[in-house]
Coordinates of all heavy atoms in Angstrom, one line a residue:
E1033 N 20.7 -5.8 -10.3 CA 19.3 -5.9 -10.5 C 18.5 -5.6 -9.2 O 17.3 -5.6 -9.3 CB 18.9 -7.3 -10.9 CG 19.4 -7.8 -12.3 CD 20.9 -8.2 -12.2 OE1 21.3 -8.6 -11.1 OE2 21.5 -8.2 -13.3
S1034 N 19.2 -5.2 -8.1 CA 18.5 -5.0 -6.8 C 17.6 -6.1 -6.5 O 16.4 -5.9 -6.2 CB 17.8 -3.7 -6.9 OG 18.7 -2.6 -7.0
A1035 N 18.1 -7.4 -6.6 CA 17.2 -8.5 -6.4 C 17.9 -9.7 -5.7 O 19.2 -9.8 -5.9 CB 16.7 -9.0 -7.8
W1036 N 17.2 -10.5 -5.0 CA 17.7 -11.7 -4.4 C 17.2 -12.9 -5.3 O 16.1 -12.9 -5.8 CB 17.1 -11.9 -3.0 CG 17.7 -11.0 -2.0 CD1 17.2 -9.8 -1.6 CD2 18.8 -11.3 -1.2 NE1 18.1 -9.3 -0.6 CE2 19.1 -10.2 -0.3 CE3 19.7 -12.4 -1.1 CZ2 20.1 -10.1 0.6 CZ3 20.8 -12.3 -0.2 CH2 21.0 -11.2 0.6
Q1037 N 18.1 -13.8 -5.5 CA 17.8 -15.0 -6.3 C 17.9 -16.2 -5.4 O 18.8 -16.3 -4.5 CB 18.8 -15.2 -7.5 CG 18.7 -14.1 -8.5 CD 17.4 -14.2 -9.3 OE1 16.9 -15.3 -9.5 NE2 17.0 -13.1 -9.9
F1038 N 17.0 -17.1 -5.5 CA 16.9 -18.3 -4.6 C 17.2 -19.6 -5.4 O 17.0 -19.6 -6.6 CB 15.5 -18.4 -4.0 CG 15.1 -17.2 -3.2 CD1 14.5 -16.1 -3.8 CD2 15.4 -17.1 -1.8 CE1 14.2 -15.0 -3.1 CE2 15.1 -16.0 -1.1 CZ 14.5 -14.9 -1.7
P1039 N 17.7 -20.6 -4.8 CA 18.1 -21.8 -5.5 C 16.9 -22.4 -6.2 O 17.1 -23.1 -7.2 CB 18.5 -22.8 -4.3 CG 19.0 -21.9 -3.3 CD 18.1 -20.6 -3.3
S1040 N 15.7 -22.2 -5.8 CA 14.5 -22.7 -6.5 C 14.3 -22.0 -7.9 O 13.5 -22.6 -8.7 CB 13.2 -22.4 -5.6 OG 13.0 -21.0 -5.5
G1041 N 14.9 -20.9 -8.1 CA 14.7 -20.1 -9.3 C 13.8 -18.9 -9.0 O 13.6 -18.1 -9.9
A1042 N 13.3 -18.8 -7.8 CA 12.4 -17.7 -7.5 C 13.3 -16.4 -7.3 O 14.5 -16.5 -7.1 CB 11.7 -18.0 -6.2
S1043 N 12.7 -15.3 -7.3 CA 13.4 -14.0 -7.1 C 12.6 -13.0 -6.3 O 11.3 -13.1 -6.3 CB 13.7 -13.4 -8.5 OG 12.5 -13.0 -9.1
L1044 N 13.2 -12.1 -5.6 CA 12.6 -11.0 -4.9 C 13.4 -9.8 -5.3 O 14.5 -9.6 -5.0 CB 12.8 -11.2 -3.4 CG 12.4 -10.0 -2.5 CD1 10.9 -9.6 -2.7 CD2 12.6 -10.3 -1.0
S1045 N 12.6 -8.9 -6.0 CA 13.2 -7.6 -6.5 C 12.7 -6.4 -5.7 O 11.6 -6.5 -5.2 CB 12.9 -7.5 -8.0 OG 13.3 -8.6 -8.8
F1046 N 13.5 -5.4 -5.7 CA 13.2 -4.1 -5.1 C 13.2 -3.0 -6.1 O 14.0 -2.9 -7.0 CB 14.2 -3.8 -4.0 CG 14.2 -4.8 -2.8 CD1 15.0 -5.9 -2.9 CD2 13.4 -4.6 -1.7 CE1 15.0 -6.9 -1.9 CE2 13.3 -5.5 -0.7 CZ 14.1 -6.7 -0.8
G1047 N 12.2 -2.1 -6.0 CA 12.1 -1.0 -7.0 C 11.4 0.2 -6.4 O 11.1 0.3 -5.2
Y1048 N 11.2 1.2 -7.3 CA 10.7 2.5 -6.8 C 9.8 3.1 -8.0 O 10.0 2.7 -9.1 CB 11.8 3.4 -6.4 CG 12.8 3.7 -7.5 CD1 12.6 4.8 -8.4 CD2 13.9 2.8 -7.7 CE1 13.6 5.0 -9.4 CE2 14.8 3.1 -8.7 CZ 14.6 4.2 -9.5 OH 15.5 4.4 -10.6
L1049 N 9.0 4.0 -7.6 CA 8.1 4.7 -8.5 C 8.1 6.2 -8.2 O 7.1 6.8 -7.8 CB 6.7 4.2 -8.5 CG 6.5 2.7 -8.9 CD1 5.0 2.3 -8.6 CD2 6.8 2.6 -10.4
A1050 N 9.3 6.8 -8.3 CA 9.5 8.2 -7.9 C 8.9 9.2 -9.0 O 8.4 10.3 -8.6 CB 10.9 8.5 -7.7
D1051 N 8.8 8.7 -10.2 CA 8.4 9.6 -11.3 C 7.3 8.8 -12.1 O 7.3 7.6 -12.1 CB 9.6 9.9 -12.2 CG 9.2 10.8 -13.4 OD1 8.8 10.3 -14.4 OD2 9.4 12.0 -13.2
P1052 N 6.3 9.5 -12.7 CA 5.3 8.8 -13.5 C 5.8 7.9 -14.5 O 5.2 6.9 -14.9 CB 4.5 10.0 -14.1 CG 4.7 11.1 -13.2 CD 6.1 11.0 -12.6
K1053 N 7.0 8.1 -15.0 CA 7.6 7.3 -16.1 C 8.2 6.0 -15.5 O 8.5 5.1 -16.2 CB 8.6 8.1 -16.9 CG 8.0 9.3 -17.6 CD 9.1 10.0 -18.4 CE 8.6 11.2 -19.1 NZ 9.6 12.0 -19.8
D1054 N 8.5 6.0 -14.2 CA 9.2 4.9 -13.6 C 8.4 3.6 -13.7 O 9.0 2.5 -13.8 CB 9.5 5.2 -12.1 CG 10.6 6.2 -11.9 OD1 11.5 6.3 -12.8 OD2 10.7 6.8 -10.9

Side-chain angles (χ1 to χ4, degrees):
E1033 293 83 21
S1034 298
W1036 287 93
Q1037 295 289 333
F1038 301 89
S1040 65
S1043 66
L1044 169 60
S1045 302
F1046 296 87
Y1048 58 92
L1049 295 172
D1051 183 270
K1053 298 178 182 178
D1054 285 335

